[in-house]
Every structure is written in structure tokens, then in C-alpha cells.
Amino acid sequence: PGGARACTIIAVGREASAYGAPMVGHSEDSGPNANDVRLVRVPAQTWPHGSVRPLYNVLATYPRLVDASRSPEYAPVGDQQESEPLATIPQVSHTFAYWDTDYGVQNEKGLSIGESTCTSMTVGWPADKDKPYGYNRAGIEELSKIAMERCETARCAVQTMGDIAVDLGFFSSDSGDPAKPAYSGSSECLTVADAKEGELWNFNVLTGKNNASAIWAAQRVPPDHVAAVGNSFTIRKMNLSDSDNFLYSPDVTKLAEEKGWWSPKLEKHKDIFDFFYAYGYTPPEDVVPANIGSVLSYYSGRRMWRVFSLLSPEEGAKLDPDLGNLPHTKDPYPASVPAPKGSVTLEMVTHAYRDHYEGTKYDLTKGMAAGPHGNPNRGVGPPGVLGQWERALSMFRTSWSFVNVAKPHSRSIVWFGYDAPHGTAYLPFYGAAVTGAPESFHSHEGGIAKFSFNVAWWPFNLINQYADLNFQAINGEVRAKAAEAEAKAVKLTADWEKQASYFAAEAPEGAMSMLTARSNAFAQEVVMMWWEFAFYLITKYRGYVVTNNGTMTGVNATGQAYPEWWLNSKDVGYTIWNKHGPFHGVPDEAKAPHAAALATPDRAEVPGYGSLVVPLGAAGAFL
């Protein structure tokens, strides 16, 4: 599977939330793509009778779409041509304003969405001119944006998206092609929160029969629960007669029964349907690579376990971290777990997004692969090299992440951070903002593929890249700086909202204008601070020393000294060097079988698969 964006959703019900409002987060773990990193403001609009709403094949790369009628920030620049629609649908009379990336983020009413590409047993492609095999006209990107434009509630959002997907046909951007279908990225999961009802819903969608139409399901997350989605469906046992908690497409079980993926005989009651069991991807015996089942199982399951253990420790302790998460896993993880009332804070969620399993046996900052300075980042290897890394929550390849807090009365906030979560600062933007973000957040002057001092993404990425030189020391400073900025932001937003409350009833637009101006000013202030911080770190950690100042005693020559455990390793060779050799260390081959045994689960845990060692190149989309 190549190109799967492989994002993570973390969600918190309103009763578990410290704010009495649901939260939903998203990390854009973009893989090899040079993503369009703009945070775009789509304005509210009133449309003439008879207007139509175009649907595009939204790109991951810049420009994701070009359409001046959608937003002035999406107007063509230079020689850009307007995007060609795949389809149009009747436009509603009024559409809401919202924050937009490749997926809709949060609208002026507080509707909030997080996304995670998932696996499924079907695949579909867009009806582009160059894809004669594509029959479908609604991708998750546009579905999420339409929900932003038209809905105040999560229930409205999932029903609207599902209806359009069935009518126009759903496709995933990560479906490969007919010669090489990518079932490991051919479906989508969204978690939707709202400020009006305070509800939280999971939405799962895949292409329907004959690579057309769509099959979907939605499940309400209990208000006292926390939820996690890590690139697999989480809707399991649906009660088809319970419309308060489950919504779904017509004939939702039909294709699964026709294909033999599920049977009513598997259930104890005629109204029960196991959605993930039926439609989640179970690799066949002859799949290439043969061990993709292990990758999928722990790539998803380990993150679910970790989120639950961080946000609801008592419930997390009841779960087996080595269970994995595949459609036919026995006694699978729940879609959500309860958490104590009012216990989950914004800081806990952002901390989870920054996680590399620190303090557990899966800790990616430990061991030889982390190097002497505890680097948790893991790249891919060339095709044919066998192995598998743990999949952390925080990834070096994250383009941005955010946590939406869906508070009522126009006080919903997107806490938005560029680049890898472990090296970002989450900055507040109001869902009901009256203008867009600072220019650096939606600039055309640069992007991932073109450096620019005028693009807000770059100082965060620059620091994260530099931190790889000495992750333990540099990232430690970065996290402290981020914590300081975020604590200041939390205090400031409370102060701003208190000031706005004095005149919000008489002048709501004026109050919102003030909140917008202050949040934008703070965001730009932090971006400029991050540029200064980047050059401070480059200066301080140059040349394997720590430079504190320019005096004769201002440089600590051993400030970045290698740790003893690393130097004493025969793999490194420092302590065993002599004039006759070895000159490059001696690999400790004796430990290799033991290490492989630890890394490879019992085959009985993942029935139906061959050897559980996976070629890094072949499974690169999941690393």
C-alpha cells in the first residue's frame, strides 16, 4: 500500500471533557506527500436560487483546489486554472463559514471533524477524465466540507455525508488503481462533534458494490467516553433498530452477505450487524507482502490502546496492548471507553498526540534504533529489507494536527499546530472567526516543496528536522517552549472571552471581531517567536557542543557527549577499537534471534497469515 495518509483521531465526549464540550482531534500524517499546508477560511455565503455546489477531486498537494467562489483564498494565482468539478449538487440558500484544510475542520456553529483513512474490502476511484475505471464523484474531502457548510449538528453531518456518498458514489484518495488496489487505504473514518447538542459521532464509509455508490454507518459515542481511530473502522456491533445511536445506508448488510463476509447467523439477535467484521480489510493468504496483517493489526491497535491508557488510565489498564485490531480479532477493543466526569483536558489530548510510547516497553526513544540521543523517528527502508517499527502517535511526517473544542455560543476553538506534534505549539483559532488566519497560514509564497520565511509551517518543520541531531536535548527545549506558549494561549483566550462577554449581547459581531483579531495576533506572534527559536537552537547545538554564549567559558564541549551505554556497545565499536581492528564495531548477531522473537507475535494471534516479518519498503505507507 502506497500513499495512505494514515491519520489519527482522538475524541472526547462532553461529559468526559473538562470543558463540558466535546473535543475531536486529527493528525495529518501525510506520508510521502508534499501537502498543501494552508489553513484556509471559507466564508459564509448566501446563494441565489438555482445555484449548484461543485464537488472536486481535492488534491493533497498544492493547490488542493482552485475555486474563487469557494473562498478568496482558493482563487487562482499566477497560471493556476480553476479546478474541474466531478459533479454538482443543488446548493442550499445559505452556507456556514469554516476552517478548511484538505478536510473541513470546524465551522462557525462549532461543528468539528477529525479524519483517519481506513481499510475496507471494497475499492473505488474518482470519475476523472484520466480514469475510465472511476465511477465515483464524492471523496471524503468534499463530503467533510459540505457537512461544514450545511450542518450545525453531528447527526446532520453524518446523514448528509452518507446520503451524498450513496447518491454520487464514494472514492478514497488512497485506493491505488485497478492493477494494484490499495484495500489498506480505500475507506474513510470521520469523527464529528457539535456544539449545539454536544454530541460525538463516528462515521465509517466505503465504496459500494461494483466499485460504485457507498456503504456507510455512524455510531454515537457516549458522552462520558473517549474514542480513538487509528486507520481502521471502529464501528462493530450495530443495533440496526436503535436509531438514537446508529445511522446507516440502505441495505447496509447486503453486500457483506452476498460476498460471504458476514452472516446474520454470527449474531445472537437479528438486529445486530458487525460493521468492521463485515467490511474491514482482512488480507488474504496470498497477499503481498504476506505479513501485512501484522502491520495493520498493530499499526491500528497499539494507538487505540495508548490513547485509552493515556486519557482513561483505569479503563486502559483493562486492555491488552498486544491484542491488535483486525476485523476478526477475538474480543476486540471497544470503539470508546468511559472516562471520569470532567477529567480530560486539552493538555491531555495534545500530550497524547505528542506520544511515542514513552515509559512503556514499546518506547521508541529507547534502543539502538533511537541512536545515542533517543530519537523516536523512524523512516522507511528499501524494498526487500524485512522488519517492522512501532507506529507512534506523533510522527515526523505529520503536516499539521489540531484539537477542536466544540463549545457553544460561538466560542468553539481549533487548537492548530504545524508539523510533528512533538515539536509544535497548538494555537487558538475561533470557529466563528470573522476573517481568515494571518497571511503566513495561507500564503502562496511557499509550502512543503518550496521554502519561505513567509509560510508559518516552516519554522516548526525546521526545528523538528534539526532536533533529529539530538532529540533528547533539543526536543526537550522545544516541548518546554511549546508548553509555555500553550499555557499563555489558554489564559489569554479565557481573558479575551471574559472581555468579549461584557458587550457580546449588544454587539456579537464586534465581540467576535475582537476575538478574531487577538487570536490572529497571538498566532503570528508565536510564529515569529518560533523563527527566532529555530536560529537560537541551530546556534546552541552546533557542532556536537552546547553553545551558551560567546565567552571563553560559554561553550560546553561535552554538552552533547554520547551516553555510556551507547559507547560501550560493541555495535558502535568505541571501546573495542585497536590498531588491528575492528574499526567499525562488531554487530551483536547473538542478540538478533532473541530480538526477532520479541518483535514477532505468535502466529496464533493473527490467524491466516504467514511470517509476520514485513518488508519495510512494501509496507512503507504504514511506517
Side-chain angles (χ1 to χ4, degrees), residues 458-523:
W458 268 107
F460 297 95
N461 176 264
L462 184 63
I463 288 176
N464 275 334
Q465 289 193 65
Y466 195 68
D468 281 350
L469 294 176
N470 189 328
F471 191 88
Q472 188 174 31
I474 299 174
N475 186 250
E477 286 206 42
V478 174
R479 290 192 185 219
K481 192 79 166 180
E484 179 183 319
E486 290 166 7
K488 182 177 180 181
V490 169
K491 181 180 184 304
L492 284 174
T493 54
D495 291 344
W496 300 336
E497 290 174 22
K498 182 177 181 180
Q499 294 170 33
S501 70
Y502 297 142
F503 60 94
E506 294 78 15
E509 290 186 9
M512 203 63 245
S513 293
M514 184 200 77
L515 293 173
T516 302
R518 293 190 178 182
S519 63
N520 279 355
F522 178 77

Side-chain angles (χ1 to χ4, degrees), residues 228-458:
V229 183
N231 305 119
S232 66
F233 292 153
T234 58
I235 298 176
R236 291 253 179 199
K237 302 284 188 179
M238 300 176 63
N239 184 342
L240 300 181
S241 62
D242 180 5
S243 59
D244 288 338
N245 293 295
F246 296 97
L247 299 171
Y248 48 89
S249 55
D251 299 319
V252 68
T253 69
K254 186 175 180 181
L255 184 62
E257 292 182 74
E258 289 178 357
K259 294 289 188 180
W261 299 333
W262 173 86
S263 168
K265 296 178 181 178
L266 295 171
E267 311 301 344
K268 294 180 179 179
H269 193 278
K270 63 180 179 64
D271 288 336
I272 301 301
F273 174 56
D274 193 327
F275 190 85
F276 185 32
Y277 183 99
Y279 291 124
Y281 178 54
T282 299
E285 292 281 356
D286 59 350
V287 70
V288 177
N291 336 83
I292 197 66
S294 174
V295 176
L296 293 174
S297 182
Y298 298 109
Y299 192 81
S300 170
R302 197 86 81 207
R303 274 179 289 162
M304 292 179 70
W305 163 78
R306 185 58 166 163
V307 170
F308 293 151
S309 65
L310 288 171
L311 300 189
S312 184
E314 185 176 341
E315 294 298 321
K318 300 175 184 178
L319 303 175
D320 177 4
D322 297 323
L323 179 64
N325 187 49
L326 286 171
H328 299 172
T329 299
K330 185 179 180 182
D331 299 323
Y333 293 132
S336 62
V337 298
K341 184 176 179 64
S343 64
V344 184
T345 64
L346 172 68
E347 184 180 12
M348 290 170 66
V349 179
T350 57
H351 174 72
Y353 272 118
R354 291 177 165 118
D355 187 72
H356 307 99
Y357 304 109
E358 284 89 347
T360 75
K361 64 182 179 181
Y362 315 109
D363 192 338
L364 284 160
T365 68
K366 304 299 182 184
M368 289 298 288
H373 301 303
N375 189 342
N377 298 322
R378 303 285 188 272
V380 302
V385 178
L386 302 180
Q388 184 175 335
W389 302 121
E390 289 292 336
R391 202 296 197 185
L393 283 154
S394 185
M395 296 293 284
F396 65 92
R397 55 180 166 79
T398 301
S399 298
W400 63 80
S401 57
F402 56 78
V403 179
N404 291 313
V405 183
K407 296 191 292 184
H409 312 303
S410 298
R411 297 299 179 261
S412 295
I413 295 180
V414 182
W415 292 87
F416 187 90
Y418 273 131
D419 210 63
H422 56 249
T424 198
Y426 288 96
L427 306 176
F429 295 93
Y430 284 91
V434 299
T435 64
E439 177 66 23
S440 63
F441 283 79
H442 54 91
S443 172
H444 294 276
E445 293 188 30
I448 287 182
K450 181 183 178 183
F451 179 84
S452 173
F453 284 108
N454 297 319
V455 173
W457 180 82
W458 268 107

Side-chain angles (χ1 to χ4, degrees), residues 40-319:
V40 166
R41 187 65 179 175
V42 177
Q45 298 189 64
T46 298
W47 300 91
H49 179 72
S51 297
V52 295
R53 202 282 191 189
L55 283 82
Y56 301 111
N57 183 5
V58 177
L59 303 178
T61 52
Y62 173 86
R64 65 175 69 103
L65 65 89
V66 182
D67 181 356
S69 69
R70 183 74 59 86
S71 169
E73 295 174 21
Y74 280 138
V77 297
D79 60 357
Q80 291 177 358
Q81 300 296 311
E82 292 263 346
S83 300
E84 293 190 23
L86 294 173
T88 61
I89 58 175
Q91 183 58 284
V92 295
S93 61
H94 180 79
T95 52
F96 300 129
Y98 61 100
W99 292 111
D100 194 33
T101 57
D102 45 2
Y103 315 105
V105 178
Q106 186 182 78
N107 75 10
E108 63 180 287
K109 300 299 183 181
L111 186 77
S112 304
I113 289 179
E115 179 275 347
S116 184
T117 300
C118 293
T119 76
S120 73
M121 295 295 287
T122 66
V123 66
W125 297 279
D128 283 331
K129 290 180 179 178
D130 63 343
K131 294 182 175 65
Y133 50 83
Y135 311 133
N136 304 291
R137 301 177 186 276
I140 201 66
E141 297 85 355
E142 285 284 60
L143 291 175
S144 70
K145 299 176 200 301
I146 292 171
M148 289 282 144
E149 293 163 11
R150 301 184 176 195
C151 291
E152 290 189 59
T153 68
R155 179 181 284 267
C156 165
V158 298
Q159 188 70 57
T160 298
M161 292 187 293
D163 289 346
I164 294 172
V166 169
D167 186 42
L168 296 182
F170 168 79
F171 67 89
S172 166
S173 299
D174 300 304
S175 291
D177 58 56
K180 217 172 188 181
Y183 295 103
S184 55
S186 63
S187 67
E188 284 288 347
C189 302
L190 300 180
T191 302
V192 190
D194 72 65
K196 184 176 182 178
E197 304 293 339
E199 288 196 334
L200 197 62
W201 284 75
N202 278 329
F203 175 76
N204 295 174
V205 61
L206 64 151
T207 306
K209 186 176 181 178
N210 297 325
N211 302 330
S213 192
I215 300 166
W216 65 272
Q219 179 178 13
R220 190 175 70 88
V221 178
D224 62 340
H225 277 218
V226 296
V229 183
N231 305 119
S232 66
F233 292 153
T234 58
I235 298 176
R236 291 253 179 199
K237 302 284 188 179
M238 300 176 63
N239 184 342
L240 300 181
S241 62
D242 180 5
S243 59
D244 288 338
N245 293 295
F246 296 97
L247 299 171
Y248 48 89
S249 55
D251 299 319
V252 68
T253 69
K254 186 175 180 181
L255 184 62
E257 292 182 74
E258 289 178 357
K259 294 289 188 180
W261 299 333
W262 173 86
S263 168
K265 296 178 181 178
L266 295 171
E267 311 301 344
K268 294 180 179 179
H269 193 278
K270 63 180 179 64
D271 288 336
I272 301 301
F273 174 56
D274 193 327
F275 190 85
F276 185 32
Y277 183 99
Y279 291 124
Y281 178 54
T282 299
E285 292 281 356
D286 59 350
V287 70
V288 177
N291 336 83
I292 197 66
S294 174
V295 176
L296 293 174
S297 182
Y298 298 109
Y299 192 81
S300 170
R302 197 86 81 207
R303 274 179 289 162
M304 292 179 70
W305 163 78
R306 185 58 166 163
V307 170
F308 293 151
S309 65
L310 288 171
L311 300 189
S312 184
E314 185 176 341
E315 294 298 321
K318 300 175 184 178
L319 303 175

